Amino acid sequence: MLVLITLEKNNDSEKEQLTQIFESGLSLLHVRKPEISEEELRSWLSGFEECCLRKMVLHQHHRLAASFPVKGIHLTEHLRSKNKELVQYIERYKLGGFTVSSSFHDPEKIKNEASLFDYSFLSPVFTSISKDGYEGQGFDVKNLPFKTIALGGIKAEKISKAKELGYDGVAILGAIWQSENKEGAFTEIFNEYNNVFQ
C-alpha cells in the first residue's frame, strides 16, 4: 500500500499536481487539512473528477463522505480518544462501504486498538522530512497481526528498510511536497515501492 498525504494548506497548483500524480499511478490519497472548514473542503473535493475522488480518504469532515464517492475516512489519535462511541462510529462508516483507518505513535497501542481499522499508520518510523525534531524510532512491526503503514521520513531509499521492519506499505508526504519536481519525486518512490512490495 502506497499512500500520499496532502499538504495541510491548499495552494494554487495542488489540484494540477495531484491530478498528475494520480495519472502517474497513485492509488490512495489521504486528504489531511486540519484547519480547513467543511465548506472549503467541499469546494476542494468538487475540483476533482470521480476517478480521483474514489482514491481519497478524508481525515476531517467525515460527513462529506455522504456527498462524494470517496474511498474512506481516517481517524486521528485525537478524534479516536475523544469519541465516546468509537466502535459505533467506525461500524457506521464500514457498513456504508468505506475503509476506516487511524494513526498511531506507539506500537503497543496498535496491539490494543488496531483491530478496529482496515489499516493504521505508525510514525515516526524514520526521521521526518517535513517536521523538525520528529526523530525516527525504527519501530519493528513484524509481530503485529494488523496491516500497518510506515509514516515518517519515507524516501525511495527507505522503502526496502520499511519492508524489512514488517510494514505492509509506506505513506509519503515531505519527500513529495518539498521536492522541486513533485511528479518526478513521486515516480521515483512509486517505482521503488513496486520493486520492493510487488
Side-chain angles (χ1 to χ4, degrees):
M1 182 178 282
L2 176 62
V3 181
L4 174 62
I5 301 172
T6 61
L7 286 166
E8 289 190 11
K9 298 187 186 313
N10 294 348
N11 73 42
D12 293 339
S13 56
E14 185 179 30
K15 178 182 180 285
E16 182 184 340
Q17 290 164 346
L18 284 171
T19 300
Q20 289 174 344
I21 290 170
F22 278 125
E23 289 171 357
S24 296
L26 180 67
S27 59
L28 194 54
L29 178 73
H30 271 240
V31 181
R32 180 180 172 272
K33 295 185 175 290
E35 295 174 17
I36 202 169
S37 72
E38 186 169 322
E39 279 312 305
E40 286 170 326
L41 184 56
R42 182 185 295 277
S43 175
W44 188 89
L45 291 168
S46 296
F48 290 90
E49 294 181 18
E50 183 174 327
C51 59
C52 295
L53 292 168
R54 291 193 179 281
K55 299 174 181 177
M56 294 185 188
V57 172
L58 305 180
H59 282 226
Q60 285 80 31
H61 308 303
H62 296 156
R63 289 188 307 185
L64 290 176
S67 305
F68 294 91
V70 296
K71 184 174 181 66
I73 65 161
H74 184 87
L75 277 67
T76 61
E77 263 189 324
H78 176 70
L79 184 58
R80 211 173 60 235
S81 65
K82 73 174 194 173
N83 192 325
K84 299 278 189 279
E85 298 177 346
L86 183 65
V87 174
Q88 295 91 324
Y89 189 82
I90 292 168
E91 283 178 357
R92 188 165 78 244
Y93 280 95
K94 284 193 172 186
L95 286 170
F98 298 101
T99 63
V100 182
S101 54
S102 194
S103 304
F104 293 85
H105 297 91
D106 179 349
E108 288 304 312
K109 285 198 171 181
I110 286 190
K111 284 181 189 173
N112 298 329
E113 300 177 44
S115 62
L116 295 169
F117 303 104
D118 294 294
Y119 58 94
S120 299
F121 294 160
L122 180 60
S123 70
V125 178
F126 308 112
T127 298
S128 177
I129 299 165
S130 57
K131 291 183 181 176
D132 289 337
Y134 208 51
E135 295 295 320
Q137 302 299 308
F139 300 121
D140 187 311
V141 297
K142 286 193 284 289
N143 295 323
L144 287 179
F146 309 113
K147 187 180 279 190
T148 309
I149 308 302
L151 174 62
I154 301 296
K155 302 183 252 188
E157 60 267 26
K158 298 286 189 184
I159 292 174
S160 59
K161 181 63 177 175
K163 176 92 186 276
E164 286 172 25
L165 289 168
Y167 291 91
D168 299 288
V170 294
I172 49 177
L173 200 160
I176 303 302
W177 300 118
Q178 292 187 7
S179 172
E180 288 293 313
N181 178 0
K182 292 164 180 51
E183 190 180 350
F186 174 76
T187 299
E188 181 187 9
I189 288 172
F190 179 76
N191 290 339
E192 181 63 12
Y193 171 81
N194 285 330
N195 287 338
V196 171
F197 278 94
Q198 300 303 335

